[in-house]
Amino acid sequence: MKSFLVIGMGRFGTAVAQELTELGQEVLAIDENVESVQRIADDVTQVMQGDAQDEAVLGAVGVRNFDCCIVAVGTDMEASILITVMLKDLGAQYIIAKARSNVHAKVLERVGADRVVLPESEMGCKLAQRLAHANVVDFIGVSDEYSILEIHAPKSWVGKSLVQLDVRQKHKVNVLAVRHGEQGALDASPKPDRAIEPDDLLFIMGENKFVSRVVELH
């Protein structure tokens, strides 16, 4: 289990915080708006109301104790840049920041962001993946080389356990989680002897070239 600090509870920040929590991770969500904090309070591990542009607020949180800090403040470029700078100064281990444009992204990288995301661009990649591969449910670009895909289980895998499939060795990808049906509960720690069922959705992660090969399986 990893710990995440998510700053900014707009649509992007809220979605990231909720999904990380559902995947079994610890999440502290921060926003200066009381209503935003109250709205997500039941969906994450912990919430905090405060202005992340105040260094005292970030200092009180202990940012260096989190595996990853996510700056989801996207509408205010100055705020996102300032917060990124302060996180870096306070010793944050890994910083992911949301950008509005390519110029904004370059500035965030220069002031210390380890990774910058452009949600609109990534949404385009998701759409392309879905159009190109019918069995792809969702797509997350982790980096230029790695991706996480949610896919329908290949028919050739049905009835076999993760141990039998030996996915990591044979296909060079990791099965992070399994969901039985699109509305089913998420199993964030699938047991090795769990048999794959016909309606299962698998969250796989790996290098793009290996993930693409799994997508092509039938």
Side-chain angles (χ1 to χ4, degrees):
M1 180 187 297
K2 292 185 177 181
S3 58
F4 295 83
L5 172 64
V6 183
I7 301 170
M9 290 297 104
R11 284 181 296 178
F12 176 75
T14 297
V16 170
Q18 290 175 330
E19 189 68 20
L20 284 170
T21 304
E22 189 173 347
L23 289 169
Q25 309 305 311
E26 290 187 353
V27 176
L28 169 58
I30 296 181
D31 197 284
E32 61 180 336
N33 184 280
V34 177
E35 292 182 358
S36 297
V37 170
Q38 292 175 339
R39 187 165 53 246
I40 199 174
D42 294 332
D43 298 331
V44 297
T45 314
Q46 189 177 355
V47 295
M48 177 179 176
Q49 190 270 323
D51 184 1
Q53 295 182 71
D54 184 344
E55 190 169 3
V57 171
L58 293 180
V61 169
V63 299
R64 65 174 64 244
N65 297 320
F66 291 88
D67 294 296
C68 178
C69 296
I70 301 169
V71 183
V73 180
T75 55
D76 188 335
M77 292 177 59
E78 184 178 345
S80 69
I81 293 167
L82 175 61
I83 292 169
T84 300
V85 170
M86 290 192 293
L87 287 172
K88 195 70 175 180
D89 289 344
L90 290 168
Q93 295 185 44
Y94 191 82
I95 304 169
I96 297 175
K98 174 189 173 184
R100 294 179 58 187
S101 65
N102 289 329
V103 172
H104 187 192
K106 288 180 181 178
V107 175
L108 288 169
E109 288 174 348
R110 289 177 182 175
V111 299
D114 296 287
R115 186 189 167 203
V116 177
V117 296
L118 288 149
E120 291 78 8
S121 175
E122 295 199 1
M123 282 301 295
C125 291
K126 288 186 178 185
L127 177 59
Q129 286 282 349
R130 289 177 179 177
L131 291 173
H133 305 289
N135 62 331
V136 174
V137 178
D138 205 353
F139 164 87
I140 302 172
V142 178
S143 69
D144 291 339
E145 296 83 23
Y146 289 84
S147 298
I148 297 174
L149 264 66
E150 181 182 5
I151 65 171
H152 291 282
K155 292 181 180 179
S156 58
W157 289 13
V158 174
K160 299 177 182 177
S161 68
L162 295 175
V163 169
Q164 291 174 310
L165 291 168
D166 197 11
V167 176
R168 184 179 299 179
Q169 185 66 32
K170 293 181 179 178
H171 301 284
K172 311 299 182 185
V173 301
N174 291 316
V175 176
L176 303 179
V178 179
R179 189 196 305 276
H180 184 59
E182 293 192 15
Q183 303 302 320
L186 184 74
D187 182 356
S189 300
K191 295 181 179 179
D193 60 352
R194 185 193 190 285
I196 302 298
E197 299 181 34
D199 294 330
D200 279 351
L201 299 175
L202 311 178
F203 290 80
I204 62 172
M205 177 179 176
E207 289 186 53
N208 294 332
K209 60 182 179 181
F210 296 123
V211 167
S212 295
R213 291 174 189 173
V214 172
V215 169
E216 298 293 340
L217 294 175
H218 298 289

